[in-house]
Every structure is written in structure tokens, then in C-alpha cells.
Amino acid sequence: MDTCSGTPVSLTLGRRRIEGVLRAVGETVDMPGEPGHPGRRLRNLILDFGPACAPVEVWLAEPQPQPQGAPVTPP
């Protein structure tokens, strides 16, 4: 796990927004897809929202690599 110097992050829950920092970037896990669909690679992140709560561990999908010369499309 790579520790970070505190990249700012925010989490929005309904009308509430919580500000914090990224504390660590961890390993990846390959999740199989449904039959006929590609799997996904997830990346582990540790977020710190300060004294109001304990650090939060999340798994976010990594962007899929684009073939050379392919146009980049938004998610």
C-alpha cells in the first residue's frame, strides 16, 4: 500500500458533503464479469475524513485501458 500526502477528496451523501483526504492507495482486485461481459479491476483506497469518523476503505473501478489511437469516451 502506498501512502499519500493528503490529496483532497469529498464524499456527497444526499445534500451532505464531507471533505477529507486520500491517505493510501492499495492493491487491485480483478472481479469477473457476467457471462459475455468483461470483468473489472478494482483499486483499494483509504480516505480520511478527520476526527468525525474512522478512515474509510473504498474499492473503485480502475479505468479500462484504451487501445492505441482509440478515442477516449467519458464514463
Side-chain angles (χ1 to χ4, degrees):
M1 184 166 291
D2 294 329
T3 58
C4 299
S5 61
T7 301
V9 297
S10 66
L11 178 65
T12 303
L13 302 167
R15 292 187 292 165
R16 181 170 212 159
R17 183 177 171 142
I18 303 170
E19 303 289 330
V21 293
L22 175 65
R23 286 290 176 214
V25 177
E27 68 221 43
T28 60
V29 172
D30 291 316
M31 299 292 292
E34 296 179 26
H37 294 87
R40 297 186 312 162
R41 174 169 282 189
L42 303 178
R43 169 75 62 186
N44 181 242
L45 303 173
I46 306 296
L47 309 177
D48 185 353
F49 294 103
C53 68
V56 177
E57 178 179 11
V58 296
W59 292 86
L60 296 179
E62 290 236 304
Q64 296 294 322
Q66 297 292 322
Q68 187 74 13
V72 176
T73 57

